[in-house]
Amino acid sequence: MLMCRDLAEIASDYIDGELNGRQNLSVKMHLMMCKDCRTFIGNLRASSNLLSAHSSGKADEEFLRRIDERVAEALNARKIRGSDSE
Amino acid sequence: MDTAVHPESEASLIEELKRGDSTAYQKAVREYSPGMLAVARFYLDHSSAEEIVQDCWVTVIDAVQKFEGRSGLKTWLHRIVANRCKNRLRTANREVATDFSETLEPELANRFNSTGRWDLPPKLQFHESADTLMENGELSDCLDKHLSALPETQRSALMLYEAHQHKSDDVCNILDVSASNLRVLLHRARQKIFLMVETFQETGEC
């Protein structure tokens, strides 16, 4: 029988729908009987949603400006190469 | 500034990049560099990773001319970064060290008794939705702090999968890990975030 610890080990696979039919069924059976594991799965899922909602678009502005500069230089070099070959 | 690129506008962004439009590059750099950095950090230290991402953007100026859109722009950029990093590691004869042996975080594993039942079950339910939780600035800061403390491999896998919404296959491909090892990386990282939110809800402290 699936114990709470076993469930905790495969909890992310369950959340992401990566378990096979038999494993999925045993997790569902366990969850019907175990309030603590229901809370755990709910909280782990909330943690995962939290990460999706958390801004991923954080990069140091100074770093981005350095990229802008390198790109601008390379674009100019490309234009010069282009006009030379015309 | 809203830099989100929707699928319908991705095609026009690609056209602008092909034309060498500098404003389009600025927009793309802001949209895609965080993810590219997450990929690079899986393989390399911080300053080497930044260097690789800068070099990649310069390469993109020529490479984008041949981009046919078989994958999305984001996946294409992430693969360029991953390949560059792998080459760099190959040259340096180094490999990424990762531990895939344990699926449970020790702090969580200790909460079960010898029969495998909860000894210290989760006390609180995280009631609020993710968006409501994220409006709490202190929690958001705390999350940043914990994310930066994660091992690079876990953080990169987590960011690509959760925040940059890549499919598992893409993450495995980009990071060169097996599907089962990716599952371990994701699960370990999520448990850490779960433990962090739990502590924060119980004590109000990070």
Side-chain angles (χ1 to χ4, degrees):
Chain A
M1 201 183 79
L2 195 73
M3 301 303 291
C4 303
R5 193 184 198 280
D6 305 326
L7 186 140
E9 285 186 355
I10 55 172
S12 279
D13 294 343
Y14 174 71
I15 289 173
D16 294 333
E18 298 276 343
L19 293 178
N20 66 33
R22 203 170 52 86
Q23 290 172 315
N24 205 41
L25 192 65
S26 56
V27 170
K28 283 204 157 81
M29 297 275 283
H30 182 103
L31 288 177
M32 272 197 277
M33 296 180 293
C34 181
K35 184 174 174 290
D36 290 337
C37 283
R38 282 202 299 276
T39 307
F40 175 68
I41 286 278
N43 287 359
L44 194 68
R45 187 178 275 133
S47 308
S48 156
N49 293 340
L50 193 62
L51 283 158
S52 310
H54 188 62
S55 165
S56 55
K58 281 182 189 155
D60 178 11
E61 188 54 36
E62 173 61 32
F63 167 60
L64 296 175
R65 271 201 296 272
R66 281 205 304 276
I67 301 177
D68 289 342
E69 282 168 21
R70 295 245 346 240
V71 168
E73 278 170 27
L75 284 173
N76 280 335
R78 196 164 198 278
K79 266 184 211 146
I80 293 165
R81 276 203 319 267
S83 59
D84 281 352
S85 62
E86 273 170 19
Chain B
M1 184 172 65
D2 180 16
T3 56
V5 177
H6 302 291
E8 61 272 22
S9 59
E10 187 173 299
S12 59
L13 178 65
I14 292 163
E15 283 312 308
E16 286 162 2
L17 295 177
K18 284 186 177 179
R19 283 203 304 272
D21 181 316
S22 60
T23 316
Y25 271 96
Q26 283 176 8
K27 180 174 171 152
V29 162
R30 272 145 196 79
E31 174 71 18
Y32 297 110
S33 297
M36 291 163 76
L37 203 55
V39 174
R41 288 292 272 134
F42 180 82
Y43 294 98
L44 303 167
D45 65 84
H46 189 72
S47 70
S48 308
E50 287 200 343
E51 201 183 299
I52 287 273
V53 173
Q54 286 188 43
D55 291 346
C56 279
W57 277 110
V58 175
T59 327
V60 162
I61 293 171
D62 284 324
V64 77
Q65 305 300 332
K66 291 181 191 143
F67 179 69
E68 290 169 352
R70 271 191 228 111
S71 64
L73 185 59
K74 177 176 72 181
T75 305
W76 181 71
L77 289 167
H78 288 183
R79 285 201 184 128
I80 293 179
V81 174
N83 287 336
R84 282 221 158 204
C85 292
K86 285 179 215 168
N87 283 340
R88 165 90 58 114
L89 287 181
R90 223 169 278 140
T91 319
N93 211 6
R94 285 200 302 124
E95 281 182 9
V96 178
T98 35
D99 174 19
F100 299 109
S101 52
E102 296 293 330
T103 32
L104 282 187
E105 277 298 302
E107 203 184 326
L108 191 68
N110 290 338
R111 291 167 61 168
F112 297 93
N113 63 28
S114 56
T115 65
R117 290 201 172 83
W118 285 102
D119 226 354
L120 279 172
K123 281 175 244 124
L124 289 165
Q125 220 172 329
F126 302 169
H127 282 297
E128 293 149 292
S129 77
D131 287 339
T132 319
L133 282 170
M134 285 323 296
E135 281 165 20
N136 181 332
E138 280 176 35
L139 179 62
S140 178
D141 289 348
C142 185
L143 188 58
D144 273 338
K145 188 175 137 190
H146 281 259
L147 280 173
S148 58
L150 285 180
E152 289 307 336
T153 47
Q154 286 179 24
R155 183 167 67 220
S156 302
L158 196 66
M159 293 318 274
L160 292 180
Y161 190 79
E162 308 266 25
H164 297 282
Q165 311 269 308
H166 273 296
K167 294 193 188 75
S168 298
D169 289 355
D170 280 338
V171 183
C172 290
N173 202 319
I174 291 164
L175 301 183
D176 230 356
V177 292
S178 68
S180 60
N181 286 347
L182 173 65
R183 300 305 314 164
V184 175
L185 288 176
L186 281 175
H187 192 43
R188 291 287 298 258
R190 276 186 192 154
Q191 289 171 68
K192 287 206 179 106
I193 302 304
F194 157 81
L195 291 164
M196 174 227 112
V197 180
E198 191 177 63
T199 306
F200 191 87
Q201 288 221 331
E202 278 175 25
T203 66
E205 279 168 24
C206 184

